[in-house]
Amino acid sequence: MTTYEAGDVTLEQVREFVWEIPKSGGMNVPARILASESLLDEISEDKTLEQLRNSTYLPGVRKYALCMPDGHQGYGFPVGGVAGIDAENGCISPGAVGYDINCGVRMMRTNLTYDDVRGHEEELVDALFEAVPSGLGGGGVHEGTVDDVDAILSRGMDWALENGYAVRDDLEHCEDEGYRPEGNPDKVSEKARNRGKNQVGSLGSGNHFLEVQRVTDVFREDVAADFGLSEDQIVVLIHCGSRGLGHQVCTDYLRKIEQAHSGLLNQLPDRELAAAPAGSQLAEDYYEAMCAAINYAWVNRQLIMHRTREVFADVFDRDWEAMEMDLLYDVAHNIAKRETHTVDGEETDLFVHRKGATRAFPASHPEVPAAYRDVGQPIIIPGSMGAGSYVLRGGDRSLEETFGSTAHGAGRLMSRTQAKNEYWGEDVRDDLRDQQQVYVKAQSGATVAEEAPGVYKDVDEVVRVSDALGIGDKVAWTFPVCNIKG
DNA sequence: ATGTGC
């Protein structure tokens, strides 16, 4: 048997790209890592594998805990981690969802080609930067009241539709149609709601961005046609989350759960995995608050997309409808959801935790929107400013292998602090413009340094593993034209 | 990720 030694963890190879930490000690199930050896070399350098093994101590975790090929260390639970935990007898863990609840991406199509945009990059990037609020702190497309926030938390994208920020078609091209009915503002603290009221429609900072891209390659022509993608087409990618509101929800419930469920906490190897037992009041409260933050993040991305349509209409002097600026799809990267999966031959209700992982449902799954039911759901995987991004579709093996999940990005190679020592923002910006015709505009030079292409893993390799395992199949590759960020 | 924190 092929093994891989990583510190005190020994991995056994199950087959190509599939590695397992066998069950031992307090582990309830084994753990699986989906990676090539070169990705495994990177994954094993931080605490990812230890955190993944720790997560198998969570009560009610089924089958195996998983790490996607882009996995890296996170708070308690790896970014790139997936765990299906029994929704009747198990638990729910905020650390296995992440601080940025429903951090995610959406891609909007246009009928413009690269030739239409070339020569207008500076004008476009300036106009987008001016119109789309970004950076730390307040300021959003919709400057509202706490009542507005409560409506957003309850109704998600339905609120955006009612308030003229969306068309019906947008809702139909969004995971869960942009709405979790369980979202309950009463379970979200006043502090969180106040933090949210002046950030509705704002990018934030860090790795969040808005990017105009061109489709540079198509790998599956038939699927690409169903997704409305073709070579040289201009698309827009929006990556952001639930801002201060989601962060506050996570903080609030971690503290509450640590206090109320210290018994469970003491059974776990890491207190950052704090979890509320299924059926407890806090499990229900956290789920409803998390769903509310999920709704907030969808509205956030919708308002940014709405503003982007206005900017394009202004710059290109045409209606956005005439430019066919339609939402391709919106996927969540940091969520938990009650889903039914087959485990040991039985239909089982699970809290599927996906933290830095994308849902990847295959063709014919009832939760895939009608427009894509025949081909599988679109999966959007942002890479870096120098390596581009990918569109995949849910693969036939995903339900069996990964609770219907795949990777979510390239994954960091180095910390933000390390990145700022290695790179200087203005140099990164100048190199991207001069060498790759990518136009970047950011609130802070430090953010550009933190997001330099060199701080990321090889997104091609991440996608290659997903494709080879049949959990998410390569459809198209896109490359940046211009990018705005905090 | 984050009014960059225990």
Side-chain angles (χ1 to χ4, degrees), chain A residues 389-445:
Chain A
S389 302
Y390 281 90
V391 178
L392 285 68
R393 63 93 178 259
D396 285 340
R397 302 284 306 152
S398 73
L399 291 173
E400 187 141 338
E401 299 286 345
T402 57
F403 301 103
S405 317
T406 190
H408 85 305
R412 292 193 80 83
L413 267 179
M414 64 179 87
S415 70
R416 298 184 177 283
T417 315
Q418 206 180 339
K420 279 180 282 200
N421 290 330
E422 301 270 341
Y423 298 99
W424 184 248
E426 285 173 21
D427 293 340
V428 173
R429 184 197 62 193
D430 291 349
D431 286 352
L432 281 164
R433 185 191 58 217
D434 298 343
Q435 292 164 24
Q436 299 188 284
Q437 293 79 54
V438 177
Y439 292 77
V440 181
K441 192 160 177 146
Q443 299 284 355
S444 151

Side-chain angles (χ1 to χ4, degrees), chain A residues 68-246:
Chain A
M68 299 297 113
D70 55 336
H72 61 92
Q73 183 181 327
Y75 179 90
F77 187 79
V79 177
V82 174
I85 305 182
D86 196 296
E88 305 297 322
N89 308 307
C91 64
I92 188 164
S93 172
V97 171
Y99 268 92
D100 192 2
I101 296 168
N102 194 6
C103 176
V105 250
R106 63 169 55 191
M107 181 176 278
M108 176 168 60
R109 291 185 292 254
T110 76
N111 63 11
L112 305 176
T113 64
Y114 186 43
D115 280 344
D116 295 324
V117 172
R118 208 188 314 222
H120 301 281
E121 293 99 333
E122 308 246 23
E123 183 189 358
L124 189 56
V125 80
D126 286 347
L128 287 166
F129 189 76
E130 180 71 26
V132 177
S134 66
L136 284 174
V141 170
H142 181 91
E143 297 283 348
T145 63
V146 179
D147 285 346
D148 289 332
V149 172
D150 289 352
I152 291 164
L153 296 175
S154 302
R155 305 209 295 278
M157 291 247 296
D158 282 347
W159 178 90
L161 180 65
E162 289 159 20
N163 286 271
Y165 291 116
V167 294
R168 172 69 58 189
D169 200 53
D170 296 336
L171 279 62
E172 287 164 11
H173 293 80
C174 190
E175 185 170 319
D176 292 336
E177 299 184 330
Y179 168 56
R180 288 278 187 101
E182 300 92 339
N184 183 353
D186 295 342
K187 306 298 182 183
V188 177
S189 69
E190 192 174 353
K191 190 176 180 184
R193 283 144 66 222
N194 273 319
R195 283 182 75 172
K197 76 182 173 204
N198 59 353
Q199 297 185 323
V200 188
S202 64
L203 273 178
S205 185
N207 63 353
H208 291 162
F209 62 82
L210 183 154
E211 194 167 87
V212 179
Q213 309 178 323
R214 64 184 201 268
V215 178
T216 30
D217 217 339
V218 167
F219 307 103
R220 282 177 167 81
E221 291 282 352
D222 53 339
V223 183
D226 282 327
F227 287 176
L229 294 175
S230 56
E231 242 173 84
D232 259 348
Q233 179 184 7
I234 293 294
V235 296
V236 179
L237 197 68
I238 295 166
H239 179 202
C240 61
S242 50
R243 303 293 326 276
L245 183 141

